[in-house]
Amino acid sequence: MKTIGILNGPNLNWLGKREPCVYGSQTLADLESNLLSLAPKLGCDLTFFQSNHEGALIDKIYEWTEAGLQALVINPGGYTHTSIALRDAISGSGLPAIEVHISNIHKRESFRHTSLTAPVCIGSIVGLGLEGYAHAIRHLCSL
């Protein structure tokens, strides 16, 4: 059975509280619960991690890689636009990764239009709300 890691970056622990007009009213726990309900139907296992700290996200990517994880869904949050180190960890892991953004980063402030991490991912899903995670998992399970 394929195991997929769901990695959430800074501020995503505040889903449901922070800017609900942009990110919705569901919490990170709601998201994880919904995805855990989906995973058995797709024949995969999920593991989750969220941190507001860049180094912790990088450490988790390498920990999961060494543990035999097969794929990665990542919402790097604000690190999307700033972190070469996170980009290098995704690339260095060799994991097929899909970048997910709840909001459409291309319709927001101009500094959000460039993703440093997307070029090392097999795909990006933006602007579909929390459903973007489910789409990413469906695709990765089908590989």
Short mmCIF file of all heavy atoms in Angstrom, two decimals, residues 14-27 102 129-130:
data_model
loop_
_atom_site.label_atom_id
_atom_site.label_comp_id
_atom_site.label_asym_id
_atom_site.label_seq_id
_atom_site.Cartn_x
_atom_site.Cartn_y
_atom_site.Cartn_z
N TRP A 14 -3.75 27.37 11.61
CA TRP A 14 -4.82 28.32 11.91
C TRP A 14 -5.95 28.27 10.89
O TRP A 14 -6.76 29.19 10.81
CB TRP A 14 -4.23 29.73 12.02
CG TRP A 14 -3.84 30.03 13.44
CD1 TRP A 14 -2.87 29.41 14.17
CD2 TRP A 14 -4.43 30.99 14.29
NE1 TRP A 14 -2.82 29.92 15.44
CE2 TRP A 14 -3.77 30.91 15.53
CE3 TRP A 14 -5.45 31.90 14.14
CZ2 TRP A 14 -4.11 31.71 16.61
CZ3 TRP A 14 -5.78 32.71 15.22
CH2 TRP A 14 -5.11 32.60 16.44
N LEU A 15 -6.01 27.20 10.10
CA LEU A 15 -7.15 27.06 9.19
C LEU A 15 -8.44 27.13 10.00
O LEU A 15 -8.53 26.57 11.09
CB LEU A 15 -7.10 25.72 8.45
CG LEU A 15 -6.19 25.63 7.25
CD1 LEU A 15 -6.19 24.21 6.69
CD2 LEU A 15 -6.59 26.62 6.18
N GLY A 16 -9.43 27.80 9.43
CA GLY A 16 -10.71 27.97 10.12
C GLY A 16 -10.76 29.21 10.98
O GLY A 16 -11.83 29.68 11.32
N LYS A 17 -9.60 29.74 11.35
CA LYS A 17 -9.52 30.95 12.17
C LYS A 17 -8.94 32.12 11.38
O LYS A 17 -9.40 33.24 11.50
CB LYS A 17 -8.63 30.71 13.40
CG LYS A 17 -9.10 29.64 14.33
CD LYS A 17 -8.09 29.44 15.44
CE LYS A 17 -8.39 28.20 16.25
NZ LYS A 17 -7.35 27.91 17.23
N ARG A 18 -7.90 31.85 10.62
CA ARG A 18 -7.17 32.89 9.89
C ARG A 18 -7.83 33.14 8.54
O ARG A 18 -7.93 32.23 7.72
CB ARG A 18 -5.71 32.44 9.69
CG ARG A 18 -4.87 33.41 8.90
CD ARG A 18 -3.43 32.88 8.79
NE ARG A 18 -2.70 33.69 7.84
CZ ARG A 18 -2.34 33.27 6.62
NH1 ARG A 18 -2.62 32.05 6.23
NH2 ARG A 18 -1.69 34.08 5.81
N GLU A 19 -8.27 34.34 8.32
CA GLU A 19 -8.85 34.77 7.05
C GLU A 19 -9.82 33.73 6.45
O GLU A 19 -9.58 33.21 5.36
CB GLU A 19 -7.75 35.08 6.04
CG GLU A 19 -6.83 36.22 6.45
CD GLU A 19 -5.78 36.51 5.41
OE1 GLU A 19 -6.09 37.22 4.43
OE2 GLU A 19 -4.65 36.00 5.59
N PRO A 20 -10.90 33.43 7.15
CA PRO A 20 -11.84 32.43 6.62
C PRO A 20 -12.43 32.81 5.27
O PRO A 20 -12.82 31.92 4.50
CB PRO A 20 -12.91 32.31 7.70
CG PRO A 20 -12.72 33.46 8.61
CD PRO A 20 -11.31 33.94 8.45
N CYS A 21 -12.44 34.10 4.94
CA CYS A 21 -12.94 34.51 3.62
C CYS A 21 -11.99 34.05 2.51
O CYS A 21 -12.40 33.91 1.36
CB CYS A 21 -13.16 36.01 3.57
SG CYS A 21 -11.68 36.98 3.88
N VAL A 22 -10.73 33.80 2.84
CA VAL A 22 -9.74 33.31 1.86
C VAL A 22 -9.58 31.79 1.97
O VAL A 22 -9.55 31.10 0.96
CB VAL A 22 -8.36 33.99 2.08
CG1 VAL A 22 -7.30 33.40 1.16
CG2 VAL A 22 -8.47 35.50 1.88
N TYR A 23 -9.48 31.28 3.20
CA TYR A 23 -9.11 29.88 3.43
C TYR A 23 -10.26 28.98 3.88
O TYR A 23 -10.07 27.78 4.03
CB TYR A 23 -7.96 29.81 4.44
CG TYR A 23 -6.74 30.56 3.98
CD1 TYR A 23 -6.39 31.77 4.56
CD2 TYR A 23 -5.96 30.07 2.95
CE1 TYR A 23 -5.27 32.48 4.13
CE2 TYR A 23 -4.84 30.76 2.51
CZ TYR A 23 -4.51 31.97 3.11
OH TYR A 23 -3.41 32.65 2.67
N GLY A 24 -11.43 29.55 4.12
CA GLY A 24 -12.58 28.76 4.53
C GLY A 24 -12.68 28.60 6.03
O GLY A 24 -11.84 29.08 6.79
N SER A 25 -13.70 27.89 6.46
CA SER A 25 -13.98 27.75 7.89
C SER A 25 -13.56 26.39 8.45
O SER A 25 -13.61 26.18 9.66
CB SER A 25 -15.47 27.98 8.15
OG SER A 25 -16.23 27.04 7.42
N GLN A 26 -13.16 25.46 7.59
CA GLN A 26 -12.72 24.16 8.09
C GLN A 26 -11.33 24.27 8.71
O GLN A 26 -10.49 25.04 8.25
CB GLN A 26 -12.71 23.12 6.98
CG GLN A 26 -14.10 22.68 6.56
CD GLN A 26 -14.03 21.48 5.64
OE1 GLN A 26 -13.35 21.49 4.63
NE2 GLN A 26 -14.74 20.43 6.02
N THR A 27 -11.09 23.46 9.73
CA THR A 27 -9.80 23.46 10.42
C THR A 27 -8.85 22.44 9.79
O THR A 27 -9.26 21.61 8.97
CB THR A 27 -10.00 23.09 11.90
OG1 THR A 27 -10.45 21.73 11.98
CG2 THR A 27 -11.00 24.03 12.58
N ILE A 102 -4.62 26.42 -1.14
CA ILE A 102 -6.06 26.54 -0.94
C ILE A 102 -6.62 27.68 -1.77
O ILE A 102 -7.65 27.55 -2.43
CB ILE A 102 -6.37 26.72 0.56
CG1 ILE A 102 -5.89 25.48 1.34
CG2 ILE A 102 -7.85 26.99 0.80
CD1 ILE A 102 -5.79 25.68 2.84
N GLY A 129 -9.61 25.26 -2.92
CA GLY A 129 -9.90 25.07 -1.50
C GLY A 129 -9.28 23.78 -0.98
O GLY A 129 -8.30 23.28 -1.55
N LEU A 130 -9.85 23.24 0.05
CA LEU A 130 -9.31 22.01 0.64
C LEU A 130 -9.46 20.81 -0.28
O LEU A 130 -8.74 19.82 -0.15
CB LEU A 130 -9.97 21.73 2.00
CG LEU A 130 -9.77 22.81 3.07
CD1 LEU A 130 -10.41 22.36 4.38
CD2 LEU A 130 -8.31 23.16 3.26
#
